[in-house]
């Protein structure tokens, strides 16, 4: 089952025919599917099965197939049933990529890349334009030569938000649901974990004409400590910004500053970073590129990154 945005699969194969076979799909699922560097954006309709035939000519010899889930987990998930090749064609597991480090990004719509390929107005009906491959987290990881994983849900907050689940309930789950099974957090341990929360806590309560949630700070501290318990050797970076709340809300800034003081005071492996660049709407691709450039530059200058970037 392919669930979280940024999930990737690869296969080396030979022959002049390729079809990717999808199993049960719920909601909306969009993939960047590439063969030998040529890409197609594929939407998998909800239902029991779907067969996508590679539309371009395949020359004789060996090819590399890569699937990248660009849409977010809360919009939909899908099973991979296999691939269909030419008669007699062979397939191989691809050589594992060589990464310098592992990075995990935990956050909301900003982190997932929601609306980043939209036009002048944010839209949520068609997730084709929500592309995690052009999110600030993925772009930062690419710039640093890092393996990247993202646990991010649009509308999710620490204490309040536009969706039912809270960050502390789903960051370590297999699905974006509080009742989902806990994920295996031992087989893949990140070197750096970046968390970016508060935009929804701020905007949702403001839209409801209610005060900023009083339990934001305690909830965020608890989340950071849960991340630390799961990843004892990781460097943890608290991020703020990308949209109006993170950049301009005094209530969010004050509550976030309390989180930073409390966790950095007790954990030397925690640091913080505030984006200068932000957007009134959800960040578009150009905004994500600017944010990634800021974060990459800052990370490269941090002492905890020096041994990891050698």
């Amino acid at each position: 089952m392919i669930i979280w945005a940024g999930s990737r699969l690869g296969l080396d194969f030979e022959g002049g025919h390729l079809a990717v076979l999808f199993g049960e799909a719920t909601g909306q699922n969009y993939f960047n599917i590439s063969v030998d560097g040529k890409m197609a954006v594929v939407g998998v309709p909800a239902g029991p099965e779907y067969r996508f035939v590679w539309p371009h000519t395949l020359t004789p010899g060996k090819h590399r197939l890569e699937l990248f889930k660009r849409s977010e987990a809360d919009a939909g998930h899908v099973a991979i049933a296999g691939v269909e090749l030419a008669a007699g064609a062979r397939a191989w597991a691809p050589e594992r990529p060589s990464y310098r480090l592992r990075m995990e990004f935990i956050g909301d719509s900003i982190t997932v890349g929601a609306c980043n390929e939209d036009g002048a107005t944010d839209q949520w009906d068609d997730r084709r334009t929500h592309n995690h491959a052009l999110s600030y987290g993925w772009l930062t990881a690419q710039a640093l030569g890092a393996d990247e994983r993202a646990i991010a849900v649009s509308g999710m907050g620490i204490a309040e938000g536009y969706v039912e689940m809270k960050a502390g309930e789903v960051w370590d789950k297999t699905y974006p649901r509080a009742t989902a099974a806990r994920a295996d957090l031992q087989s893949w341990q990140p070197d750096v974990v970046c968390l970016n929360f508060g935009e929804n806590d701020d905007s949702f309560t403001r839209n409801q004409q209610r005060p900023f949630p009083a339990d934001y700070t305690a909830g965020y501290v608890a989340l950071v400590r849960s991340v630390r318990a799961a990843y004892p050797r990781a460097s943890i970076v608290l991020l703020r910004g990308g949209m109006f709340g993170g950049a301009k809300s005094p209530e969010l800034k004050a509550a976030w500053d309390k989180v930073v003081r409390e966790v950095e005071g007790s954990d030397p492996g925690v640091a913080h970073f505030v984006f200068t660049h932000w957007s009134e709407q959800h960040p578009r691709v150009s905004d994500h590129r600017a944010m990634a450039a800021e974060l990459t530059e800052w990370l490269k200058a941090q002492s905890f990154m020096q041994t990891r970037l050698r």
Side-chain angles (χ1 to χ4, degrees), residues 44-65:
V44 180
E49 59 184 27
Y50 178 68
R51 178 175 176 265
F52 169 73
V53 179
W54 182 248
H56 304 291
T57 301
L58 293 169
T59 58
K62 193 173 180 180
H63 306 284
R64 174 156 294 175
L65 165 68

Side-chain angles (χ1 to χ4, degrees), residues 249-261:
S249 169
E251 294 82 8
L252 172 54
K253 180 181 183 302
W256 187 84
D257 285 345
K258 288 182 181 178
V259 177
V260 169
R261 288 195 298 271

Side-chain angles (χ1 to χ4, degrees), residues 174-185:
T174 52
Y175 290 84
R177 296 291 181 270
T179 56
R182 195 165 188 258
D184 175 9
L185 301 182

Side-chain angles (χ1 to χ4, degrees), residues 69-225:
K69 189 169 187 280
R70 55 189 276 147
S71 56
E72 69 174 280
D74 197 39
H77 52 268
V78 60
I80 302 293
V83 296
E84 179 184 284
L85 304 178
R90 296 177 298 167
W92 304 265
E95 189 175 321
R96 283 185 173 272
S98 178
Y99 295 112
R100 299 168 78 184
L101 70 158
R102 295 173 172 180
M103 299 185 71
E104 182 167 355
F105 290 82
I106 305 174
D108 53 28
S109 57
I110 301 171
T111 297
V112 87
C115 306
N116 60 353
E117 292 185 349
D118 282 344
T121 304
D122 292 351
Q123 68 83 29
W124 299 88
D125 294 333
D126 183 356
R127 301 301 180 102
R128 178 182 290 269
T129 55
H130 297 206
N131 184 6
H132 184 70
L134 292 173
S135 66
Y136 77 85
W138 178 258
L139 295 172
T140 298
Q142 291 291 288
L144 296 173
D147 190 6
E148 188 256 21
R149 292 193 181 183
I151 304 297
V153 177
S154 293
M156 186 168 69
I158 295 290
E160 297 268 12
Y162 297 90
V163 293
E164 181 180 354
M165 71 286 287
K166 305 298 185 290
E169 298 172 333
V170 304
W171 80 271
D172 59 349
K173 301 295 176 60
T174 52
Y175 290 84
R177 296 291 181 270
T179 56
R182 195 165 188 258
D184 175 9
L185 301 182
Q186 297 301 313
S187 60
W188 191 90
Q189 289 264 315
D191 299 297
V192 179
V193 182
C194 295
L195 299 97
N196 190 358
F197 286 106
E199 193 68 39
N200 294 307
D201 297 87
D202 180 70
S203 66
F204 180 76
T205 51
R206 189 161 14 92
N207 289 342
Q208 297 293 314
Q209 298 183 331
R210 293 193 280 112
F212 188 87
D215 51 349
Y216 170 88
T217 297
Y220 209 160
V221 170
L223 172 61
V224 174
R225 288 176 176 163

Side-chain angles (χ1 to χ4, degrees), residues 1-4 7-9 29 31 69 76-80:
M1 190 66 70
I2 306 298
I3 303 167
W4 296 99
S7 297
R8 307 176 307 276
L9 293 174
N29 295 274
F31 288 83
K69 189 169 187 280
H77 52 268
V78 60
I80 302 293

